[in-house]
Amino acid sequence: MQFDAQWLLLALAPVFLACIGWEAWHLSRTRGHIAANGAPDNARYAWPDTLCNTALALMHQGADKLAWLVAVPIYAYVYQHFRLTSWQPGWAAWLVLFVAQDLLYYVFHRASHRVRWLWAAHVVHHSSERLNFSTAFRQSLMYPVAGMWMFWIPLAMLGFTPTQIVSIVLVNLAFQFFVHTQAIGKKPGWLDYVLNTPSMHRVHHARNARYIDRNYAGVLAIWDHLFGSYVAEDAREQPDYGIVKPLGSCNPLKATFHEWFAMARDFARMPDWRSRLAALFAPPDWCERHDAVRFAPAMAGTPHSVPENNTEGEFGSRNP
């Protein structure tokens, strides 16, 4: 475990680019521009979308480098003063670190769909209406502001050094590149009980009512099965990618900040501090449901709608 994972990611960069090149070539040979349902094929590459993904990746990497300058000293302080144990280098330590971080990633990922403050950063990753390997690069520079780094603090308490924490986080994210594709079909069902697969992750990126806000796995699929968030991809219902309210833009700045601006507007217009805090930290569609209840008497007899998702509790909240 004593290695710099950033060198590993640098070594993997040609692999990522080769996968993108292969996928673009493969899709151009096997799929038309129009899907079977008559809609534009959402697997194929489009220059505006791919360039937006690339710009977002570069912005994210810059922000990430700055975030580690703040987060690593915090991990070091917790490790020095609050760690519960110390680990000898070896497979046992690596396995504990891998499983613990993957569980914490599941918690972070699920919270990022349930807490609007976190969703404001994570929505960037979901806002494309295409899904291919380049979508894995579609990340937000606002993750440090949202607080993603705080989810790894328990690893320092478990006795892992800052270098080990940063390394395992980057390795986990590197694995996830390979699940962002439609070129690999659904594999035997047992695999979805062990690992995050392209099929599982296609469900996660879909905005269909039955798929929305499911399959939060990073590497291990066991957490989705254990905590009841797993849904299998159904060949009878193809995933429809993107967010409930489409972004409608390939501008990386709009993709990054549109939800932060919307959240700020909702915060400012709420009538009291309780509702203002809910506008920041409740599920992402809380404001719409709040408005539907608040203005219901005035809108009696007037056609209006409440978001179909998240009307019955835990699952569904992808309104930007």
Side-chain angles (χ1 to χ4, degrees):
M1 291 195 316
Q2 301 299 323
F3 66 95
D4 187 343
Q6 297 194 53
W7 288 107
L8 173 64
L9 295 185
L10 186 62
L12 283 174
V15 177
F16 295 156
L17 294 177
C19 287
I20 289 172
W22 169 83
E23 184 183 45
W25 172 82
H26 174 74
L27 294 174
S28 69
R29 290 171 55 89
T30 60
R31 299 175 67 134
H33 288 280
I34 303 300
N37 60 4
D41 185 66
N42 53 26
R44 293 182 59 134
Y45 286 76
W47 278 112
D49 180 76
T50 304
L51 291 174
C52 180
N53 295 344
T54 302
L56 288 166
L58 295 173
M59 293 160 61
H60 166 72
Q61 285 299 308
D64 229 25
K65 294 293 188 294
L66 294 175
W68 290 131
L69 295 177
V70 176
V72 166
I74 295 174
Y75 300 155
Y77 181 84
V78 173
Y79 173 80
Q80 291 169 7
H81 298 281
F82 299 104
R83 70 177 183 270
L84 302 176
T85 187
S86 296
W87 295 90
Q88 296 297 319
W91 285 105
W94 186 90
L95 182 62
V96 171
L97 175 60
F98 170 78
V99 173
Q101 192 276 328
D102 198 61
L103 173 58
L104 291 172
Y105 178 84
Y106 175 90
V107 173
F108 155 75
H109 199 182
R110 188 162 181 166
S112 292
H113 285 252
R114 305 305 308 148
V115 178
R116 192 180 186 186
W117 182 267
L118 295 170
W119 174 246
H122 190 56
V123 67
V124 176
H125 186 60
H126 285 272
S127 57
S128 174
E129 296 185 359
R130 296 175 180 268
L131 183 72
N132 50 52
F133 280 134
S134 77
T135 309
F137 293 160
R138 193 180 183 94
Q139 302 293 339
S140 175
L141 65 83
M142 297 298 284
Y143 275 131
V145 175
M148 181 180 185
W149 57 272
M150 292 189 293
F151 285 83
W152 320 135
I153 291 176
L155 297 175
M157 297 180 66
L158 287 175
F160 295 104
T161 67
T163 299
Q164 293 170 327
I165 294 171
V166 173
S167 296
I168 200 65
V169 168
L170 295 178
V171 168
N172 188 294
L173 294 177
F175 169 87
Q176 293 183 50
F177 170 87
F178 298 100
V179 300
H180 291 84
T181 183
Q182 298 184 60
I184 300 174
K186 185 174 175 59
K187 299 305 178 184
W190 63 266
L191 193 60
D192 283 356
Y193 283 86
V194 181
L195 293 175
N196 188 10
T197 64
S199 176
M200 275 190 67
H201 208 62
R202 286 193 290 270
V203 166
H204 179 70
H205 272 264
R207 58 188 170 190
N208 313 50
R210 67 172 295 169
Y211 292 153
I212 198 167
D213 288 355
R214 299 283 188 158
N215 297 0
Y216 299 105
V219 176
L220 300 176
I222 57 175
W223 314 119
D224 284 301
H225 293 280
L226 185 62
F227 299 118
S229 52
Y230 173 77
V231 166
E233 184 180 27
D234 190 335
R236 296 169 296 181
E237 184 171 356
Q238 293 299 310
D240 178 26
Y241 300 108
I243 50 180
V244 171
K245 290 184 177 179
L247 179 62
S249 173
C250 288
N251 183 328
L253 293 178
K254 183 174 181 181
T256 298
F257 295 111
H258 76 279
E259 176 64 5
W260 292 95
F261 288 138
M263 186 169 61
R265 288 193 298 269
D266 285 336
F267 175 85
R269 70 182 177 84
M270 288 297 155
D272 54 65
W273 277 104
R274 182 176 181 181
S275 56
R276 288 173 189 163
L277 289 175
L280 298 181
F281 300 111
D285 64 352
W286 180 88
C287 289
E288 291 199 32
R289 293 185 287 111
H290 171 270
D291 289 345
V293 173
R294 182 183 178 193
F295 299 115
M299 298 177 66
T302 303
H304 64 285
S305 64
V306 179
E308 181 177 303
N309 53 314
N310 199 41
T311 55
E312 297 182 1
E314 169 64 30
F315 295 106
S317 63
R318 199 167 292 164
N319 287 320

